[in-house]
Amino acid sequence: MHFAVLQFPASNCDQDCVHGIRVLGHTAGLVWHKDTTLGAPDAVIVPGGFSYGDYLRCGAIARFSPVMQAVKQFADNGGLVLGICNGFQILCEAGLLPGALVRNRDLQFHCEQVFLKTASRTSPFTSQIPAGKILRIPIAHGEGCYFADAETLAQLQAGDQILWQYCDQAGELSEPANPNGSLLNIAGICNAARNVAGLMPHPDRASEPLLGSTDGRLIFASMLHALAQRTAPAAVAAAAPVAQAA
Amino acid sequence: MKAKIVITPKKAVLDPQGKTVQSALEHMGYTGVAGVHVGKYIEIDLAPGTDREAARQALDTACHRFLSNPVIEDYKLEIAD
């Protein structure tokens, strides 16, 4: 599989994302923000950083860059798009995901390891995360407090669109485990069609034992699994549930 | 002619900056402060001869699409001489 990783002025996790995919035996390449096409990737990652200096609002300027038109079209056609940290903010600003990310409630920039509960394993971004596993993945952001109005939150819950929530080591969704004040401890969500997702924690920074965790690989592996199923012959796809049951 | 745009956080959105400023004002002895909301101010210089109403309509759209995020912010737009 081939992943396109976008590169904006002041992206700083683009190479980490490329590495995160290559370490799983697949290819990834950078796509410049002024490009109007993505090439022919199987999936797109919008990486973390401080695109356009975070001027005006995080992601507000990046969303109007030429490459984002191509990403929107790719997503509209059902392509898998993952936004990480600043990438999550960009996807919200672009309207590809509902809600917004605002200033952390304590006004501090948080750079630390957090624990995440996978709230829904029924998505192309979470299917390969073992049931009940608590992920340990770092965050690094000043504006990661997820906000949406009550109606949108109800839709997210009804649609099983909340993918990850901040929790403590035991998996409890507590206030002290919520690093930024996000509503419902939300760390990541997907759209109604389940092909676009975003999260504030960095799976790309948890893809090597040297970095202290390889839990991030489970998110990339889930995307690769979903892509493999899409391209698999019908007979193989039909056999999959039997293999899972065994 | 100038466009003056004031952007404030929506009431439902957590405004830790406003709360911190409010608390500081109270500590300094300023009484009667019921709430503080910290936002942004944007001033746009309009080229001479610009049609006032056309500029207002165009900037209203720009405020909605780009200068503010309607999910979390409200804005007020004023065209001043």
Side-chain angles (χ1 to χ4, degrees):
Chain A
M1 298 296 168
H2 182 74
F3 280 58
V5 177
L6 307 190
Q7 196 177 42
F8 297 96
S11 290
N12 64 8
C13 295
D14 38 338
Q15 297 290 356
D16 305 58
C17 289
V18 167
H19 183 83
I21 298 303
R22 286 184 184 162
V23 83
L24 293 175
H26 294 263
T27 60
L30 298 171
V31 178
W32 185 235
H33 68 117
K34 286 187 175 167
D35 288 352
T36 52
T37 59
L38 294 166
D42 297 295
V44 173
I45 298 179
V46 191
F50 300 85
S51 59
Y52 297 89
D54 275 354
Y55 296 157
L56 192 61
R57 292 179 309 280
C58 306
I61 298 176
R63 70 155 286 202
F64 287 106
S65 59
V67 78
M68 283 307 295
Q69 291 304 312
V71 171
K72 190 173 184 315
Q73 197 171 20
F74 184 78
D76 288 347
N77 290 334
L80 291 190
V81 179
L82 177 67
I84 299 168
C85 196
N86 189 219
F88 185 15
Q89 295 165 337
I90 293 169
L91 293 178
C92 286
E93 282 281 344
L96 287 168
L97 289 171
L101 285 313
V102 299
R103 197 80 173 270
N104 294 348
R105 69 179 154 190
D106 63 0
L107 301 171
Q108 303 287 314
F109 187 96
H110 282 253
C111 186
E112 63 203 32
Q113 295 281 347
V114 296
F115 294 104
L116 297 178
K117 181 178 190 163
T118 303
S120 172
R121 294 175 60 240
T122 316
S123 85
F125 306 92
T126 52
S127 70
Q128 299 307 296
I129 300 171
K133 179 169 175 67
I134 304 303
L135 304 176
R136 186 167 168 272
I137 292 183
I139 54 166
H141 62 247
E143 283 91 0
C145 174
Y146 183 78
F147 175 85
D149 61 25
E151 192 186 339
T152 306
L153 278 183
Q155 283 170 359
L156 286 175
Q157 288 181 296
D160 196 28
Q161 289 170 247
I162 301 171
L163 298 186
W164 300 279
Q165 288 167 296
Y166 300 107
C167 64
D168 61 22
Q169 199 163 1
E172 293 300 317
L173 304 179
S174 64
E175 266 309 295
N178 186 344
N180 50 34
S182 290
L183 295 177
L184 303 176
N185 281 41
I186 287 174
I189 57 168
C190 68
N191 63 345
R194 308 187 89 69
N195 65 311
V196 180
L199 76 168
M200 288 312 295
H202 282 273
D204 47 309
R205 294 189 188 181
S207 62
E208 284 288 355
L210 190 64
L211 298 173
S213 170
T214 54
D215 289 352
R217 288 186 186 182
L218 293 167
I219 294 172
F220 298 135
S222 296
M223 295 175 74
L224 289 163
H225 178 78
L227 291 170
Q229 279 200 324
R230 286 182 179 194
T231 53
V236 176
V242 179
Q244 276 176 3
Chain B
M1 209 160 46
K2 285 178 195 298
K4 298 179 173 183
I5 300 157
V6 175
I7 298 163
T8 47
K10 276 188 192 296
K11 295 288 180 286
V13 179
L14 204 65
D15 179 12
Q17 235 188 134
K19 287 237 161 22
T20 306
V21 172
Q22 181 178 350
S23 154
L25 283 170
E26 286 162 358
H27 280 118
M28 291 164 73
Y30 291 96
T31 54
V33 179
V36 176
H37 311 283
V38 177
K40 292 182 195 125
Y41 174 67
I42 300 173
E43 202 171 78
I44 298 174
D45 299 329
L46 298 171
T50 303
D51 179 79
R52 193 185 188 96
E53 187 51 27
R56 200 196 61 75
Q57 282 185 20
L59 285 172
D60 194 54
T61 308
C63 281
H64 197 77
R65 284 183 67 211
F66 173 51
L67 298 173
S68 82
N69 180 343
V71 175
I72 48 172
E73 295 168 327
D74 293 319
Y75 68 86
K76 276 184 203 148
L77 166 66
E78 184 197 334
I79 308 286
D81 292 319

